[in-house]
Amino acid sequence: MSAPEAILELHHIEKSYAPKRWLSRGETLRAVDGVSLSVRKGETLGIVGESGCGKSTIGQIASLMLRPTGGSVVFKGEELVPGRRSPRDSRRSRIQYVFQDPYSSLNPRFTIGRLLEEPLAIRKKGTRRERRREVLRMLSRIGLDPAYADRYPHELSGGQRQRVGIARALMPSPELLVLDEPVSALDVSVQAQILNLLKDLQAERSLTYLFISHDLNVVHYMSDRVAVMYLGRIVELAEVGELYDGPLHPYTRALVDAIPDEPGTTPREAEIIEGELPDPRQLAGGCAFRARCPFAHERCGRQPLLEEVKPGHYVACHLLEPDRD
Amino acid sequence: MVGAKPSGGETVLEVRDLRLELSAKDGARLPVLEEVSLKVGRGEIVGIVGESGCGKSVLSLSVLGLLPPSIRVAGGGIYNGERKELHRLGEKSLQRIRGKEIAMIFQDPMTSLNPGMTVGKQVAEAIRLHTGASKREAEEKTVGLFRKVGLPRPETLYHEYPHRLSGGMRQRVMIAMAVSCQPDLLIADEPTTALDVTIQAQILKLMKTLREEDGTSILLISHDLGLISGVCDRIAVMYAGRIVEEGAAAEVLRHPAHPYTAGLLASLALPSKKGTRLHSIPGSVPALRERGPGCAFASRCPYAADRCLAEKPALRGVAGSAFPRSAACHLLGEEGGLANVGS
């Protein structure tokens, strides 16, 4: 599924955690199980899923912070070895990561100025004075007064801190940003400020975003294409409008049905799906959604593959397999 | 739910002109809540919506007498259905009310359960304490409650410890415990915030069922306007320690009267706004010490006038509305005010 304009490709990524000796029942946890994904230059690819589905693991692998147990990460045609890294590796600075929690992801003992200068300083870019100028320019770009350069993170509100988190990721001039729940910790009125800022920055700097969130409305708003994950696998991937208006995988349908009605509109008659995510260590093989799926069938004992059912629309479900047999 | 009876029936909770003060370390007295009035009728689901720091949680804690020692009731009062003054009760009397008349569930079901005791025992214990039921009766009742709140295999689950349960299941256990003594009022403080989307929908549906089957009144506290709008009969929007707007949920959401409510609605990243720029409220909520003499929202309000900076607006009725509703804004003048703010 690689397109010529792909900036980042993930090939058959796997990440499993071996059981620890103590207190474990000895099963391997497969956090990500064979995910292939191709991110196109300039787009926002959203990844949605419930907690434990592996969406953050994918983000960390894509930004080379975590080494997968299998598969490869290809950035602009060049294979990168995740996990084995040098901070000065210029390719690595092309992909940056924005954390969910703007409280714990900023060193409380650094001033904002130093936090922003650090990504340049460790790469020995420019003189001190030049770096300082860059920092001040960045601060005003993200909507903070340059005077904030001398303040500490605790003096900032949540929204201001998240601006700093985004600014820090932008300092090494990346081409791709991995945004892992960037607005989930913020108040609604501040969320909109940050989402607008991200949109503006993307347009100005031709950035590509990998946008990870559990919030279906936020992902809908931000993304061009959306991948839905369930227990370590992609179950559906399509252009955003097509996915939300005509979800094909039963799990995607359940998610879309669970979106609250828009305030002030007439409530829809939506089915609410029963059951919860099973323990990923105790999957019996086959489709992971089988236990909650209203259409489960014997065939579902086999793992369905992600297949293109319409141009650009991929689904992993036996119900939608073209009739071959 | 639209079409629910407007209040006027029996009241299970009334908060009147409540003022809470925080004693700061430097001796300053800071108002956490000011002039908060609220009524919850029998069988009603009332939502309190607001962003962090608006005072919604402290309001719910004050109802159960669970305020931290640094915060005290400095004016007004809290009354239950029998017009008992809850804010004047001692710890002993409050204990009889908590759980039995008014029960509460919290955001994080993990820290609210005892990790060293099976979930069934915890619920049964609460039942025995409040009703004096025998061990057998309490156990049977617990299993019945587990079934009612939609827990799978209730008999087996009775003997499980909290860590073996998922977040959604733990929240169901908390709800089972909360409704075990048929309280008049259930206070739910962000009950679905820690849960996944599909589970959120399940829990909200359960709340509606409890109201329909047992007539339980529910005070639902949330930061998420979009989420609770479908469940509540009435909504009170809080900002910086005050209720700024209150009324029938559908009305408030369709025609917000206060600029803050309008701004909040407009900033939601709803599907219908795809491709447009989101409205955002500039700035952030003023800190406790930064609240001036005027309207707390004035610094972020696109319509703020001189009067807004000088004088706090009182909550007053909004004209031309089918259900009783009110808002605290100077702009809602005699002529009916800003009907289409924010749209």
Side-chain angles (χ1 to χ4, degrees):
Chain A
M1 45 191 272
S2 72
E5 71 273 42
I7 181 168
L8 178 82
E9 290 163 86
L10 304 179
H11 294 295
H12 311 290
I13 296 290
E14 283 175 22
K15 179 71 191 174
S16 47
Y17 293 93
K20 285 190 200 124
R21 223 166 269 168
W22 294 93
L23 293 171
S24 79
R25 276 160 292 157
E27 298 98 346
T28 303
L29 173 78
R30 301 174 81 94
V32 175
D33 193 5
V35 166
S36 295
L37 202 60
S38 142
V39 188
R40 299 171 188 163
K41 187 160 172 41
E43 78 168 342
T44 298
L45 178 66
I47 301 186
V48 276
E50 299 182 277
S51 47
C53 74
K55 56 189 192 301
S56 286
T57 308
I58 284 289
Q60 288 171 8
I61 289 170
S63 58
L64 313 178
M65 294 200 298
L66 192 68
R67 191 205 292 253
T69 37
S72 60
V73 180
V74 176
F75 184 69
K76 292 181 124 181
E78 200 180 347
E79 187 170 338
L80 303 177
V81 186
R84 190 172 299 153
R85 59 194 197 204
S86 146
R88 264 165 271 150
D89 185 336
S90 65
R91 292 173 306 181
R92 198 179 134 66
S93 65
R94 290 289 141 89
I95 307 171
Q96 289 293 313
Y97 190 89
V98 176
F99 294 85
Q100 168 176 0
D101 183 0
Y103 293 85
S104 60
S105 58
L106 301 177
N107 188 335
R109 300 173 66 162
F110 280 15
T111 61
I112 304 304
R114 181 157 173 214
L115 279 165
L116 296 186
E117 192 190 331
E118 198 77 352
L120 298 180
I122 52 168
R123 296 183 176 92
K124 299 206 165 60
K125 282 205 178 137
T127 63
R128 205 165 206 180
R129 186 181 296 233
E130 283 165 356
R131 292 200 295 261
R132 180 79 183 174
R133 205 162 43 225
E134 278 299 302
V135 167
L136 297 181
R137 197 179 299 151
M138 181 59 80
L139 276 176
S140 56
R141 174 56 201 99
I142 55 149
L144 285 181
D145 191 281
Y148 278 99
D150 301 317
R151 303 237 194 133
Y152 287 90
H154 76 266
E155 297 174 75
L156 273 57
S157 69
Q160 288 172 329
R161 283 183 224 212
Q162 196 55 299
R163 285 173 196 266
V164 172
I166 292 166
R168 180 177 59 180
L170 290 176
M171 286 308 284
S173 311
E175 292 171 60
L176 184 123
L177 276 194
V178 177
L179 300 150
D180 190 0
E181 304 268 9
V183 297
S184 305
L186 305 175
D187 274 324
V188 184
S189 70
V190 181
Q191 282 192 0
Q193 296 172 7
I194 299 294
L195 294 178
N196 283 336
L197 175 68
L198 286 171
K199 283 256 180 202
D200 293 344
L201 291 168
Q202 182 172 36
E204 270 165 39
R205 295 164 188 245
S206 353
L207 290 165
T208 306
Y209 287 163
L210 190 61
F211 191 93
I212 300 165
S213 178
H214 73 284
D215 187 325
L216 291 142
N217 279 342
V218 169
V219 167
H220 181 270
Y221 180 77
M222 290 298 289
S223 309
D224 300 308
R225 291 190 302 147
V226 176
V228 181
M229 285 189 73
Y230 191 75
L231 290 173
R233 289 173 166 264
I234 294 179
V235 296
E236 187 160 0
L237 169 70
E239 183 270 317
V240 63
E242 193 166 324
L243 190 98
Y244 280 74
D245 294 339
L248 293 175
H249 194 283
Y251 177 62
T252 317
R253 268 188 247 174
L255 279 185
V256 170
D257 277 346
I259 301 176
D261 297 306
E262 293 209 12
T265 60
T266 331
R268 295 165 301 167
E269 274 306 313
E271 281 290 310
I272 292 173
I273 188 172
E274 305 277 321
E276 308 194 4
L277 285 172
D279 184 337
R281 284 168 303 199
Q282 294 180 339
L283 290 179
C287 175
F289 189 58
R290 184 160 56 131
R292 296 173 80 186
C293 182
F295 313 106
H297 192 267
E298 301 118 68
R299 274 196 294 188
C300 306
R302 263 185 306 124
Q303 182 73 57
L305 298 172
L306 191 65
E307 299 201 50
E308 190 164 14
V309 292
K310 285 190 225 172
H313 195 147
Y314 299 81
V315 187
C317 178
H318 290 302
L319 292 169
L320 296 151
E321 269 168 9
D323 292 315
R324 266 168 300 172
D325 35 12
Chain B
M1 278 270 130
V2 197
K5 50 260 141 213
S7 60
E10 200 186 337
T11 306
V12 296
L13 177 76
E14 181 171 2
V15 176
R16 206 189 299 150
D17 284 329
L18 186 67
R19 179 183 174 87
L20 297 180
E21 276 181 359
L22 170 81
S23 314
K25 283 191 192 117
D26 58 7
R29 290 266 172 87
L30 304 167
V32 180
L33 289 187
E34 288 174 278
E35 292 168 34
V36 169
S37 296
L38 187 78
K39 263 189 191 174
V40 183
R42 184 165 299 282
E44 212 182 7
I45 303 185
V46 177
I48 298 186
V49 189
E51 300 181 280
S52 44
C54 72
K56 57 191 191 300
S57 288
V58 86
L59 171 62
S60 65
L61 292 175
S62 71
V63 172
L64 284 168
L66 293 171
L67 289 173
S70 56
I71 298 178
R72 63 176 197 100
V73 176
I78 305 160
Y79 310 89
N80 68 358
E82 291 140 22
R83 319 243 5 102
K84 213 181 267 168
E85 297 179 292
L86 299 180
H87 59 287
R88 286 192 210 279
L89 292 183
E91 190 58 23
K92 265 255 167 67
S93 330
L94 276 171
Q95 272 174 14
R96 275 196 292 274
I97 286 181
R98 287 183 204 138
K100 200 168 185 185
E101 266 187 45
I102 304 176
M104 184 155 178
I105 52 174
F106 299 90
Q107 173 173 349
D108 181 359
M110 190 62 214
T111 50
S112 320
L113 287 167
N114 179 345
M117 199 179 193
T118 65
V119 290
K121 256 196 170 158
Q122 295 189 47
V123 178
E125 189 190 42
I127 295 173
R128 293 187 66 194
L129 206 71
H130 280 292
T131 63
S134 75
K135 219 170 166 179
R136 266 284 291 287
E137 286 166 357
E139 190 171 328
E140 274 166 21
K141 195 164 174 208
T142 304
V143 171
L145 284 165
F146 279 4
R147 191 167 292 124
K148 183 186 175 87
V149 298
L151 282 164
R153 298 168 283 106
E155 289 87 359
T156 333
L157 212 90
Y158 187 94
H159 303 287
E160 294 281 12
Y161 286 90
H163 76 270
R164 301 265 296 154
L165 273 56
S166 70
M169 281 157 87
R170 284 183 209 139
Q171 197 59 292
R172 286 180 199 267
V173 170
M174 287 307 297
I175 294 173
M177 192 188 295
V179 300
S180 62
C181 301
Q182 281 111 31
D184 296 323
L185 176 67
L186 176 64
I187 302 180
D189 190 355
E190 305 268 5
T192 64
T193 308
L195 306 176
D196 280 321
V197 230
T198 55
I199 315 297
Q200 281 187 345
Q202 293 173 2
I203 296 289
L204 289 177
K205 190 178 163 198
L206 173 60
M207 299 253 178
K208 274 193 188 169
T209 314
L210 290 175
R211 186 267 292 274
E212 267 138 43
E213 288 178 0
D214 306 337
T216 313
S217 310
I218 300 173
L219 188 61
L220 190 55
I221 292 160
S222 178
H223 71 286
D224 193 336
L225 199 54
L227 184 70
I228 67 165
S229 63
V231 196
C232 298
D233 304 313
R234 280 191 302 124
I235 284 185
V237 181
M238 287 188 72
Y239 189 78
R242 287 171 171 265
I243 291 179
V244 294
E245 177 157 11
E246 196 258 297
E251 290 262 320
V252 171
L253 296 167
R254 227 170 271 159
H255 310 290
H258 195 283
Y260 175 65
T261 318
L264 213 51
L265 279 168
S267 49
L268 290 174
L270 296 170
S272 57
K273 298 194 193 129
K274 175 91 185 162
T276 63
R277 194 173 172 79
L278 289 177
H279 169 88
S280 68
I281 306 178
S284 49
V285 185
L288 262 183
R289 284 176 195 276
E290 291 163 10
R291 290 178 195 166
C295 170
F297 188 60
S299 62
R300 304 174 75 188
C301 181
Y303 312 100
D306 293 343
R307 190 176 168 201
C308 305
L309 297 169
E311 192 188 323
K312 277 200 170 74
L315 200 62
R316 57 174 155 176
V318 177
S321 184
F323 293 98
R325 83 177 254 242
S326 41
C329 178
H330 289 309
L331 293 167
L332 288 165
E334 306 70 45
E335 74 279 10
L338 66 171
N340 294 315
V341 154
S343 51

